[in-house]
C-alpha cells in the first residue's frame, strides 16, 4: 500500500497538485514531512484534509486503523484495494482471509454513491466480492490478456484500454521502481496508481512523469538496491508470505554467485504464518540465513520463540543448521552479512524495524 500511495502522490504532483500524503511512514505535504510514524488511519486523514495547502489527498488506510477507528472519510473520488493477502491473520478481527477482505472492503463505502473503486483483477477474492458493489469499478491486472482490465501491461508498456481506445501511458523499463521490469509487484503498483490518478484527472503525461521520475530514494525501504564493492544489497519491507513470494520472483532475476537472506518476524503472527514465512525465505534460495530477534516486536512471545519456529522450518526445508545465524538487531545482521559477502554476492535484507538505520549504514558504506 505504501509504495502505491507514494506513486499516486508523485503522479498528482506531476499533474500540478499540492499533495498531502498520510501513510504508515508519516505525513507529507509534497516533500515536506510534517511528522513521522504510522498515520495510516483517521488521524493522518484529518491532518491532511485540514491542511490549507493540500489540493489533493492520498490517504493510506491500514487494517488496524479500520478496525479500531473506522474510515477516515465519508466520501472519496477514488478508493483502491491492492490485494487480499495473508497478513496479520490471527489478529483481532482478521482470523481468515475472508474476514480480512471484509475489513478492507470498508473503504468501498467512500465511493459507493460516487467516485470509482479500483481493484486488482488478479485477486479472486476481490473479483468475487466486486459483484456486490453498486458503484463504478476500474480494474487493473498484470495479465496482458486480461481484456476486462482497464489498466494492464502490453508489449512493455502500461496501457489504458477503455471506451474503445487503447492508450499507452508509460514504458515499464522507464519506471525505476520496476528494476527494468524485474519487480513485477511494482508494475502492479504502478498500474494501480495510474488507475487511481486517472480517476482524479491525471492524464498520460502526468502518469508517465510521476512514475518515471520516482527513484528508489523516494520509496525508502521498498525494493531498494545498493552496490557496494561488487556486492548487491537488496532492501525491502516484505514481511508476509505474499510479499516474500514477490521478492523471490524479483531477486531470481538478479545475478548472484551466492545469496544471503536476513529477515525477522513479529511475534503477533501465528505459528503457521511464521512457518510459511520461513518457507518463503527458503524460496529465495539462500546459502546463508540470518534471523534477527527484534525484542520490540516480540508482542507477547518469549525471547527466541519466533527465531526457534523460523529456524526449525528452515532446517526442515533443507537449510543446514550451521548456516542459520541469530542476531539481536537488524543492523547487526547487516554487519554480519557484509563481513560474509564477496564480490558477485546478493544480500537480501528484509527489514522490519530498523529500516532507517540499515539504509543509513548502506549509504555510508556505499559512499
Amino acid at each position: 500500500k505504501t509504495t502505491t500511495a507514494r506513486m499516486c502522490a508523485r503522479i498528482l504532483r506531476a499533474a500540478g497538485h499540492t499533495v498531502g500524503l498520510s501513510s504508515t511512514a508519516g505525513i507529507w505535504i509534497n516533500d515536506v514531512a510534517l511528522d513521522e510514524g504510522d498515520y495510516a488511519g483517521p488521524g493522518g486523514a484529518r491532518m491532511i484534509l485540514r491542511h490549507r495547502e493540500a489540493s489533493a489527498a492520498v490517504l493510506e488506510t491500514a487494517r488496524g486503523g479500520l478496525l479500531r477507528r473506522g474510515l477516515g472519510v465519508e466520501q472519496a473520488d477514488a478508493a483502491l484495494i491492492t490485494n487480499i493477502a495473508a497478513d496479520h491473520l490471527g489478529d483481532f478481527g482478521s482470523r481468515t482471509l475472508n474476514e480480512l477482505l471484509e475489513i478492507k472492503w470498508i473503504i468501498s463505502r467512500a465511493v459507493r454513491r460516487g467516485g470509482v473503486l479500483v481493484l486488482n483483477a488478479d485477486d479472486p477474492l476481490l473479483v468475487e466480492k466486486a459483484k456486490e458493489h453498486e458503484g463504478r469499478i476500474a480494474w487493473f491486472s498484470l495479465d496482458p490478456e486480461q481484456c476486462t482490465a482497464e489498466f494492464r501491461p502490453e508489449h512493455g508498456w502500461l496501457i489504458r484500454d477503455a471506451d474503445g481506445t487503447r492508450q499507452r501511458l508509460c514504458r515499464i523499463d522507464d519506471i525505476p521502481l520496476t528494476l527494468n521490469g524485474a519487480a513485477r509487484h511494482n508494475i502492479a503498483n504502478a498500474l494501480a496508481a495510474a488507475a487511481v490518478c486517472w480517476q482524479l484527472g491525471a492524464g498520460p503525461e502526468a502518469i508517465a512523469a510521476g512514475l518515471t521520475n520516482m527513484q528508489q530514494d523516494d520509496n525508502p525501504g521498498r525494493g531498494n538496491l545498493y552496490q557496494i564493492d561488487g556486492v548487491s544489497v537488496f532492501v525491502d519491507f516484505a514481511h508476509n508470505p505474499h510479499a516474500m513470494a514477490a521478492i523471490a520472483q524479483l531477486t531470481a532475476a538478479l545475478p548472484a554467485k551466492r545469496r544471503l537472506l536476513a529477515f525477522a518476524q513479529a511475534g503477533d503472527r501465528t505459528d503457521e504464518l511464521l512457518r510459511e514465512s520461513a518457507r518463503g525465505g527458503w524460496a529465495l534460495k539462500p546459502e546463508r540465513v540470518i534471523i534477527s530477534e527484534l525484542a520490540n516486536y516480540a508482542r507477547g512471545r518469549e525471547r527466541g520463540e519466533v527465531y526457534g519456529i523460523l529456524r526449525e522450518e528452515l532446517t526442515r526445508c533443507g537449510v543446514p543448521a550451521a548456516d542459520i545465524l541469530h542476531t539481536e538487531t537488524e543492523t547487526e545482521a547487516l554487519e554480519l552479512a557484509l563481513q560474509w559477502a564477496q564480490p558477485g554476492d546478493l544480500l537480501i535484507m528484509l527489514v522490519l524495524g530498523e529500516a532507517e538505520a540499515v539504509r543509513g549504514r548502506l549509504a555510508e558504506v556505499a559512499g
Side-chain angles (χ1 to χ4, degrees):
K1 299 186 303 298
T2 301
T3 296
T4 311
R6 288 168 173 167
M7 286 178 169
C8 287
R10 298 289 295 199
I11 292 170
L12 292 172
R13 287 179 62 183
H17 284 285
T18 298
V19 182
L21 169 64
S22 63
S23 75
T24 53
I27 299 178
W28 285 264
I29 300 295
N30 285 349
D31 286 330
V32 179
L34 304 185
D35 201 0
E36 296 182 355
D38 189 347
Y39 280 95
R46 282 194 300 271
M47 290 183 68
I48 293 299
L49 295 173
R50 290 171 178 170
H51 201 285
R52 294 180 179 180
E53 295 180 18
S55 62
V58 179
L59 311 174
E60 183 180 350
T61 305
R63 173 205 62 90
L66 286 170
L67 276 173
R68 296 180 181 90
R69 301 178 185 87
L71 194 59
V73 295
E74 293 183 359
Q75 190 170 350
D77 298 296
L80 164 68
I81 304 176
T82 53
N83 57 48
I84 306 299
D87 191 19
H88 298 286
L89 295 186
D91 285 3
F92 170 71
S94 55
R95 293 166 297 178
T96 67
L97 279 178
N98 282 324
E99 287 185 352
L100 186 58
L101 170 63
E102 292 299 329
I103 295 166
K104 291 193 173 188
W105 198 255
I106 291 171
I107 73 165
S108 71
R109 299 173 187 173
V111 292
R112 188 164 45 195
R113 296 181 181 86
V116 179
L117 179 61
V118 178
L119 296 176
N120 184 352
D122 301 329
D123 190 305
L125 288 174
L126 289 175
V127 171
E128 183 63 27
K129 186 69 174 176
K131 297 175 182 177
E132 303 175 9
H133 187 65
E134 298 175 357
R136 185 179 164 229
I137 296 175
W139 295 96
F140 70 94
S141 172
L142 276 173
D143 183 358
E145 304 301 321
Q146 181 63 268
C147 295
T148 58
E150 185 175 341
F151 294 84
R152 62 181 189 272
E154 183 180 80
H155 304 307
W157 289 76
L158 305 186
I159 68 161
R160 177 179 181 260
D161 185 4
D163 307 321
T165 302
R166 181 182 282 106
Q167 193 170 18
R168 286 181 167 182
L169 302 175
C170 178
R171 283 193 60 84
I172 291 170
D173 285 354
D174 291 339
I175 304 172
L177 296 193
T178 71
L179 299 179
N180 294 318
R184 284 179 56 79
H185 63 292
N186 275 341
I187 300 175
N189 288 333
L191 288 163
V196 168
C197 293
W198 187 276
Q199 318 309 324
L200 300 178
E205 296 82 6
I207 290 171
L211 294 174
T212 59
N213 291 325
M214 187 175 179
Q215 305 297 322
Q216 73 168 14
D217 288 345
D218 300 316
N219 194 36
R222 268 81 174 175
N224 304 152
L225 187 62
Y226 299 83
Q227 297 295 331
I228 300 172
D229 297 330
V231 176
S232 299
V233 185
F234 180 83
V235 179
D236 197 89
F237 182 68
H239 62 283
N240 62 51
H242 180 269
M244 292 184 75
I247 297 305
Q249 186 178 48
L250 187 166
T251 55
L254 300 178
K257 291 181 179 178
R258 301 182 302 167
R259 296 167 188 265
L260 178 147
L261 168 65
F263 77 124
Q265 282 292 336
D268 56 359
R269 269 56 174 179
T270 64
D271 287 6
E272 180 51 35
L273 270 180
L274 292 174
R275 293 189 186 97
E276 191 173 353
S277 172
R279 293 192 291 272
W282 174 242
L284 297 166
K285 301 179 180 179
E287 274 80 15
R288 177 160 291 190
V289 179
I290 304 175
I291 302 171
S292 299
E293 183 66 29
L294 295 190
N296 291 340
Y297 287 79
R299 294 173 182 170
R301 291 194 185 256
E302 296 295 325
R303 183 188 181 283
E305 185 179 351
V306 170
Y307 164 71
I309 294 170
L310 295 173
R311 184 179 187 277
E312 179 182 32
E313 188 65 21
L314 284 166
T315 55
R316 192 194 67 79
C317 289
V319 181
D323 289 325
I324 304 174
L325 306 182
H326 186 203
T327 64
E328 290 297 320
T329 68
E330 289 166 324
T331 50
E332 290 176 24
L334 173 61
E335 296 301 331
L336 276 181
L338 290 173
Q339 291 170 18
W340 175 84
Q342 299 173 3
D345 289 345
L346 173 63
L347 310 181
I348 303 167
M349 306 289 303
L350 303 184
V351 184
L352 184 62
E354 298 178 74
E356 187 173 346
V358 167
R359 292 196 312 273
R361 176 60 176 151
L362 286 170
E364 176 185 330
V365 176

